[in-house]
Amino acid sequence: MKPLLFLTALVGLAACDAGVETRKAAVPPGEQPAPTAAVAPLAASGPAATLTPETDAALQDAAAVVRLDQLSGQGPLAAKLFGTAGGDPAMNGLYTHIAFFQDPAEGWRVFRIGDVLDYRVLSQRPGRVDLELEESTMDEATGRIGSRTRRVIIGWPIAADGSAPAEVTVTPAQ
């Protein structure tokens, strides 16, 4: 039951429009975002339903998803990047993964790309996505936290039958 509930939660998250936050943040530097139109508060039209907290532990994993980017142009293969919150947010904390849908019984095949502050999709095409990764670094000699930006190419073979890849590669790039 737990895997089915977890899969249901992930499919629900996958249906979300992950580009909304990107579009909101796409305000040119120095300009203020357009104000949101005021909407009158809703008026109740029936009795309230009281909810109790969910007790399925698998939902904790689903609730940790804080970023989701669907990958397009992959033919019959359903692929996405996602990040879960975890670790020390002062030192990265966005556990970044790429996932490929296998089938309803097996769910997603997931590969961990790394622990970063943030990622940006630079480009994508069948069997490949180019990413820019923002990461925290630690100078072991001084104990100071710094940062770096690096780029990587995530690649995988495209199967004729649209099945999920058995492996992916991460290649440093410029």
Side-chain angles (χ1 to χ4, degrees), residues 6 15 17-19 29 48 62 73 77 80-81 84 92 128-129 133-134 140-141 147 150 166:
F6 182 68
D17 182 1
L77 184 61
K80 63 184 169 184
L81 291 165
T84 58
N92 300 312
R128 176 177 169 157
V129 61
L133 305 174
E134 296 291 329
E140 296 297 328
S147 65
R150 66 184 178 106

Side-chain angles (χ1 to χ4, degrees), residues 81-155:
L81 291 165
F82 71 96
T84 58
D88 180 358
M91 283 294 295
N92 300 312
L94 181 66
Y95 296 140
T96 305
H97 303 82
I98 188 165
F100 304 91
F101 189 70
Q102 297 176 96
D103 60 53
E106 301 212 27
W108 294 85
R109 181 169 292 158
V110 180
F111 300 88
R112 184 168 173 180
I113 295 169
D115 180 11
V116 301
L117 281 173
D118 200 7
Y119 66 84
R120 183 168 64 112
V121 176
L122 300 173
S123 67
Q124 58 184 302
R125 63 177 187 249
R128 176 177 169 157
V129 61
D130 297 349
L131 298 178
E132 183 175 80
L133 305 174
E134 296 291 329
E135 299 175 299
S136 296
T137 60
M138 173 68 78
D139 183 330
E140 296 297 328
T142 65
R144 289 189 179 159
I145 296 175
S147 65
R148 73 175 174 183
T149 301
R150 66 184 178 106
R151 293 179 174 190
V152 296
I153 300 165
I154 310 297

Side-chain angles (χ1 to χ4, degrees), residues 23-44:
R23 287 192 298 277
K24 280 196 236 175
V27 176
E31 291 187 26
Q32 295 293 323
T36 306
V39 176
L42 298 175

